[in-house]
Amino acid sequence: MAARKYVDVFDAYDRFTQGQKMTESEWDYQVIPAKAKMLKDCYELDFGHDIIPTDSELIDRLFLAGMDMLLSCGIFNVDQGRVLTLEEDEIYQGLKMAPKKLTLGQGKDKVKVKPRRGNAVRRPVIEGGPTGAPISEDIFESVIRSYAQEPMVDGIVSGIIDAIDGRLVTPNSPWEIKATMAEIRHVREATSMSGRPGMCI
């Protein structure tokens, strides 16, 4: 039997346009919570006091529950308000084709991201930052620099400037473009000032 073609961006787009119509609130407050609750019970998922599970049987059940969730719920496209569905062999093919390692950043600041198994001795790649939180323009660069100067931080997950030139940033407006350009400039300046110009963002 020939291997199934992986789902590329064109196939995904076509499937989204023909997928089940749904609102974001239906997806967020009905579909996902109900299915998650059902799968938690079905696969006997109980983390106890452990934030990260280390029990191999629990990890296996968690993976199977995740597969079940993806197969039954699909992927929601916020812009189109539609759901893309996948078949099991397509998911496994996607996992098989996923990169095994990734290099982020440049020069002396680059880091290699590789899979880690449970209880691995090698430390994880650490990304620090305000992660999408709104920050005033006047302190934005200082906030980013406070993360970039920490030796244990390998990359920056930036925040967002909530107002620029005294104007609140309105989505889908020229002000949003200007704020985004300012964010990039401030992050780059912050990493350079911290002696880490090649740091990934």
Side-chain angles (χ1 to χ4, degrees):
M1 181 178 178
R4 185 177 177 87
K5 177 181 172 290
Y6 71 97
V7 180
D8 63 19
V9 66
F10 303 103
D11 190 19
Y13 177 81
D14 288 342
R15 288 201 207 179
F16 272 126
T17 60
Q18 299 160 19
Q20 179 187 355
K21 201 114 173 81
M22 187 177 298
T23 67
E24 189 174 358
S25 60
E26 285 176 317
W27 175 264
D28 286 343
Y29 301 115
Q30 295 175 33
V31 175
I32 295 301
K35 191 65 179 180
K37 171 70 171 69
M38 191 201 82
L39 292 174
K40 180 182 182 298
D41 296 337
C42 179
Y43 288 93
E44 299 178 1
L45 301 175
D46 186 357
F47 289 62
H49 297 293
D50 297 327
I51 297 174
I52 300 173
T54 54
D55 176 70
S56 59
E57 288 185 9
L58 175 58
I59 291 169
D60 288 343
R61 294 199 308 275
L62 190 59
F63 175 80
L64 292 173
M67 283 289 292
D68 197 336
M69 184 99 169
L70 183 53
L71 282 167
S72 56
C73 296
I75 301 169
F76 181 68
N77 184 313
V78 177
D79 293 329
Q80 293 187 356
R82 291 184 181 272
V83 178
L84 174 151
T85 56
L86 295 163
E87 295 177 15
E88 189 170 354
D89 60 339
E90 293 174 328
I91 298 171
Y92 278 110
Q93 183 66 14
L95 291 172
K96 187 177 177 183
M97 294 178 65
K100 301 296 182 278
K101 59 184 177 180
L102 181 65
T103 301
L104 301 175
Q106 300 175 8
K108 68 179 180 63
D109 303 308
K110 72 181 176 184
V111 291
K112 292 186 178 178
V113 182
K114 298 178 184 177
R116 294 174 73 248
R117 304 293 177 216
N119 301 320
V121 176
R122 179 170 46 86
R123 80 174 186 86
V125 170
I126 297 173
E127 294 192 326
T131 316
I135 303 172
S136 299
E137 184 182 13
D138 59 333
I139 62 167
F140 187 88
E141 193 171 312
S142 299
V143 170
I144 299 299
R145 195 184 311 165
S146 71
Y147 289 97
Q149 66 190 8
E150 290 296 330
M152 72 169 56
V153 174
D154 300 303
I156 297 295
V157 183
S158 183
I160 58 170
I161 292 176
D162 58 359
I164 189 160
D165 296 340
R167 292 283 301 266
L168 286 175
V169 176
T170 305
N172 303 316
S173 74
W175 293 106
E176 184 178 38
I177 297 170
K178 186 170 186 177
T180 301
M181 292 175 69
E183 288 163 17
I184 296 168
R185 185 180 69 252
H186 284 309
V187 172
R188 280 296 175 216
E189 288 175 358
T191 55
S192 293
M193 291 291 288
S194 301
R196 308 177 72 184
M199 205 174 190
C200 69
I201 60 171

